[in-house]
Amino acid sequence: MRIEQLQYIVEIASTGSFSIAAEKLHVSQPNISQSVSALEQEVGVQLFHRMRGGTVPTEAGEAVIAKARHILAQLHELKAAANEHTEVLRGKLMIGSISGICTSFLPRTLSAFAIRHPHVELEILEEHSGGIEEKLLEGRLDLGLMGITGEYANKHLRAERFLSCEIMACVGVQSPLAAKKSISFADILHYPLVGVSGHMKELLLSYGTPKQLFHSKGTEAAKYVTAEGIAISFSMDISLRNDPHVAMGKIVPIPIEEKPAVHLYWAHDRKGMSAASEAFLSEFLMQVEKYKRMSRFE
């Protein structure tokens, strides 16, 4: 069993395709197919169902891929620990991130990274995914942390999914919806909305016409309007764990019956990453793994 085999199966699971995974990892498709077949023989189970519509992990494959992700994350930790003692990183690092990541994984990542690499100047830009992609392509960002509703692919960027999360409907504690255990898109359309993103608007349009009370790109403004109980807003579940409005009981998150999801990706230019970018990404993925471990035991 080799590290690249683990990278292959993780990438195939993320993209749902042997050919796309091969392209992203800069290897030939026959090479990646042979490596996966060899790994399947070694572990004694079939890892993927290969179908005309795409490639999906088997039940046994899901368990193996989860372990592979964990091993690769530990490898990132090992490299980061080694780098601490072998090089002093310097320079400036520009990172673009969507709001949900800014309010979940990013704060702890920033504090831990600053302690380990005090000579790297960090600058974080909160932006929507389309803006992050644009700035990565223009060379204005070193690393992007994005949220996409489907699979992400761009021939000029290398991207990898690191987590999928659920979108929740958020209402004020005084809202008539606050006691609901779940809510459907059809029900949501009967109420005013605030801060609706482009992809949520697309999802809602298949059920009817959304009534947007307040147009805002600022998540905090949307939360204050939501807390008043006059509109529904939407947030990723990961960003609600430590949200002060939720903690104080002013905002109540409600699961949406259709279970809309956002897939989170990190991305960078295909030319490669600087040592500072690699160190930051390693620290960031460590925080993501800690979140996953905590979630499993809650």
Side-chain angles (χ1 to χ4, degrees), residues 95-143:
I95 298 167
S97 173
I98 60 170
S99 173
I101 295 176
C102 283
T103 56
S104 53
F105 309 119
L106 213 50
R108 288 184 179 181
T109 303
L110 294 175
S111 60
F113 185 83
I115 292 170
R116 293 183 179 183
H117 305 288
H119 300 291
V120 177
E121 180 186 350
L122 284 172
E123 187 169 336
I124 309 298
L125 172 67
E126 184 179 345
E127 176 67 279
H128 58 82
S129 295
I132 292 171
E133 179 185 63
E134 181 180 323
K135 290 175 176 62
L136 282 169
L137 293 171
E138 292 173 351
R140 295 162 60 191
L141 291 175
D142 298 296
L143 184 67

Side-chain angles (χ1 to χ4, degrees), residues 105 162-163 284-293:
F105 309 119
F162 61 86
L163 190 68
F284 178 78
L285 293 176
M286 276 192 267
Q287 297 300 329
V288 173
E289 283 302 312
K290 287 179 183 178
Y291 169 85
K292 290 179 181 177
R293 290 196 291 268

Side-chain angles (χ1 to χ4, degrees), residues 10-244:
V10 166
E11 193 68 47
I12 292 165
S14 295
T15 61
S17 167
F18 273 72
S19 58
I20 295 175
E23 182 182 347
K24 283 191 169 186
L25 295 171
H26 304 290
V27 296
S28 68
Q29 186 171 341
N31 187 317
I32 202 171
S33 296
Q34 290 169 9
S35 292
V36 172
S37 295
L39 181 59
E40 288 177 323
Q41 290 179 4
E42 183 176 348
V43 298
V45 295
Q46 182 180 349
L47 299 177
F48 295 99
H49 291 301
R50 298 159 175 85
M51 302 177 293
R52 293 183 64 182
T55 300
V56 296
T58 62
E59 185 176 348
E62 290 279 8
V64 173
I65 291 162
K67 288 289 186 183
R69 291 185 191 276
H70 181 63
I71 291 169
L72 292 174
Q74 288 185 315
L75 182 60
H76 275 296
E77 290 186 33
L78 180 64
K79 289 180 178 178
N83 286 339
E84 277 187 62
H85 301 284
T86 57
E87 63 178 318
V88 176
L89 298 180
R90 301 180 184 275
K92 186 172 183 178
L93 194 56
M94 296 285 294
I95 298 167
S97 173
I98 60 170
S99 173
I101 295 176
C102 283
T103 56
S104 53
F105 309 119
L106 213 50
R108 288 184 179 181
T109 303
L110 294 175
S111 60
F113 185 83
I115 292 170
R116 293 183 179 183
H117 305 288
H119 300 291
V120 177
E121 180 186 350
L122 284 172
E123 187 169 336
I124 309 298
L125 172 67
E126 184 179 345
E127 176 67 279
H128 58 82
S129 295
I132 292 171
E133 179 185 63
E134 181 180 323
K135 290 175 176 62
L136 282 169
L137 293 171
E138 292 173 351
R140 295 162 60 191
L141 291 175
D142 298 296
L143 184 67
L145 304 171
M146 305 185 290
I148 310 294
T149 53
E151 297 298 328
Y152 181 76
N154 185 301
K155 66 180 181 180
H156 299 295
L157 299 175
R158 185 191 170 204
E160 184 172 316
R161 185 196 299 187
F162 61 86
L163 190 68
S164 293
C165 55
E166 190 174 335
I167 299 173
M168 307 284 281
C170 296
V171 301
V173 67
Q174 301 299 327
S175 167
L177 300 172
K180 278 186 167 288
K181 298 297 183 184
S182 65
I183 188 169
S184 68
F185 278 138
D187 291 334
I188 287 171
L189 288 173
H190 291 111
Y191 296 88
L193 307 177
V194 56
V196 182
S197 66
H199 69 262
M200 279 303 295
K201 187 174 182 180
E202 286 181 18
L203 290 173
L204 288 165
L205 282 171
S206 61
Y207 295 85
T209 305
K211 297 183 290 186
Q212 286 191 253
L213 168 71
F214 192 83
H215 296 265
S216 171
K217 291 184 179 179
T219 54
E220 282 305 307
K223 286 176 183 176
Y224 278 106
V225 174
T226 301
E228 291 297 322
I230 56 176
I232 299 174
S233 61
F234 302 98
S235 291
M236 295 188 295
D237 54 2
I238 58 164
S239 67
L240 296 170
R241 289 173 63 96
N242 301 312
D243 188 284

